[in-house]
Amino acid sequence: SEAQTEFRIAVQDYLPTDDDDDTQSTVEFAALSFPASDPPASNEPPRRPPVHHDAEQQAAAVARHLESQVTVTLADGTKTELDHGHVVIAAITSCTNTSNPSVMVAAGLLARNAVARGLRSKPWVKTSLAPGSKVVTEYLDRAGLTGDLEALGFHLVGYGCTTCIGNSGPLPREISRAVQAHDLAAVSVLSGNRNFEGRINPDVKMNYLASPPLVVAYALAGSMDADIVGEPLGQDPDGADVYLRDLWPSSREVAETVERAVRSEMFRSSYAGVFSGDERWNGLVVPTGDRFAWDEGSTYVHRPPYFDGMPAEPRPVTDIEGARVLALLGDSVTTDHISPAGSIQRHGPAGLYLQEHGVQPRDFNSYGARRGNHEVMVRGTFANIRLRNRLAGGRGPTPEGGVTRKLPEDEQMSIYDASLAYLEEGTPLVVLAGKEYGSGSSRDWAAKGTRLLGVRAVLAESFERIHRSNLIGMGVLPLQLPSSAEDLGLTGEEVFSISGLAEPMNAGSLPEEVLVRADEIQFSARLRIDTPKEADYFRHGGILQYVLRSLRDR
């Protein structure tokens, strides 16, 4: 099928490399397919020469390298095998299409049909059901579909952000160990709306978005390297093949079930007490007073430093001198790469901080849950396990994760530790990036964390609109490169200066370009402060300082 072919091409980016000719022949084709980046300008030659191999032939070549089956014995004694492309997470997760009764009912009906034919989810698949509303549970119960979903492992785990934001929880220990030991390209399939690298689960390399009934179907298939349309999902007790077409409910059956099971009073009764809270919520001790009562012992909410040392009037804008590169990144770096929302690594800067403050790894929660503590979030900035900082490897391979090289010492360390060292020296920092920098979620911490690391400017080929604005809102200068860092001859080891900014900004105007010097390399970069109001924010050091001074002056 087309989906299977596309998977086999995309998985090439995640397979362990070797010298086999068939594997190497697909590298350029895969690179053109994933990740996405801006198309070249009309006068710009393609970065990579076009590859004219037939897609199905390429997929077949890759398929020969997907045969890395690993035998695993699960906690209950079940013996099974794992391989590249196996679905280890199948999650009907909250928000998005869990609020659509038709697709939720379709998932339940497909599960009912599968159970009736004797099918079960594959043993290596971690399944979960997290509706966006308690009403979903009510109409699934009313339709008699809850038991069928549970028979396939789709038990209710809660109402709220789960797998989509990285709250999938750990994989079974045996599965996790096998994935890590054999560097398997494991897969998740979820019905949410986020599938960024490193977000869903640290053991999962590839994440696919699907409708709730297709999530159920892939739990039955157990692999993304399966033609779920043309191949059977399993066999019934008589040995007869069972196909997706045998299980898929008709539109009429879905509509009739929705008509019978969904009632408007369900929504009224469920939401009538939405602000009442349970005994735990109502039992919270609420501080009194006009100001927020900061708890210095809290690892969830901590007083941020944005206003520390803030003068009554904004300081003059200055040019940047003697800056070092903190990270040299490629195309399509998302806000999840910059500020991950998911799990916190035990041995990373954020995990070490939490352990130093008495938090055990099992209680780490996620970056998304600890976004009220800047000490955690700044340590997590650029800490995505799939980040590829080209500066980190030097002349060797590029490692994955939040690491860089501290220069000029040429010492590899975490990005957070390097930023501390640079801050202590008084060395300003810049980030170099490719196209679509900051795409994905409009995450404020992607800009906040960047600023707290000491980054003064981000130089990229292009920016996602909201993240560019957020950088300005935190006082970080967005500059658009005339071409890629590679084409400019930049390695990230240079010392940078940026001039032509201070004089016009302090005079109340906006320059179109600034002059960038990187050792012997010199070029003009376009200033991406696009409006007079953004210029006001930047002159004040950020939108927070601008708003506070504006309130004072009323």
Side-chain angles (χ1 to χ4, degrees), residues 114-192:
V115 170
R117 294 295 299 270
L119 301 189
R120 292 293 183 271
S121 299
K122 294 296 187 287
W124 57 80
V125 183
K126 180 176 183 177
T127 48
S128 61
L129 170 63
S133 167
K134 292 183 178 180
V135 175
V136 177
T137 300
E138 193 169 348
Y139 65 63
L140 287 177
D141 285 345
R142 186 182 178 94
L145 299 174
T146 300
D148 296 308
L149 286 164
E150 291 179 346
L152 298 183
F154 289 93
H155 294 270
L156 176 70
V157 296
Y159 306 93
C161 292
T162 54
T163 306
C164 181
I165 201 170
N167 290 336
S168 62
L171 298 180
R173 185 175 302 175
E174 301 79 13
I175 300 293
S176 178
R177 286 175 177 170
V179 168
Q180 294 178 24
H182 299 275
D183 196 19
L184 296 178
V187 173
S188 75
V189 181
L190 60 147
S191 67

Side-chain angles (χ1 to χ4, degrees), residues 436-517:
E436 296 181 336
Y437 182 77
S439 56
S441 302
S442 56
R443 183 162 302 144
D444 59 341
W445 264 111
K448 289 178 181 177
T450 298
R451 175 66 191 205
L452 292 178
L453 286 175
V455 174
R456 293 280 306 278
V458 175
L459 293 81
E461 290 183 75
S462 65
F463 292 89
E464 190 279 333
R465 175 180 57 86
I466 296 176
H467 184 63
R468 181 199 61 80
S469 180
N470 285 347
L471 287 173
I472 297 167
M474 290 308 299
V476 179
L477 186 67
L479 298 176
Q480 189 161 341
L481 294 170
S483 58
S484 71
E486 182 180 2
D487 290 345
L488 291 168
L490 300 174
T491 65
E493 298 178 349
E494 303 85 0
V495 177
F496 279 70
S497 67
I498 299 170
S499 58
L501 174 73
E503 185 175 346
M505 285 286 286
N506 292 326
S509 62
L510 263 177
E512 290 186 5
E513 294 183 336
V514 297
L515 181 64
V516 181
R517 292 186 178 90

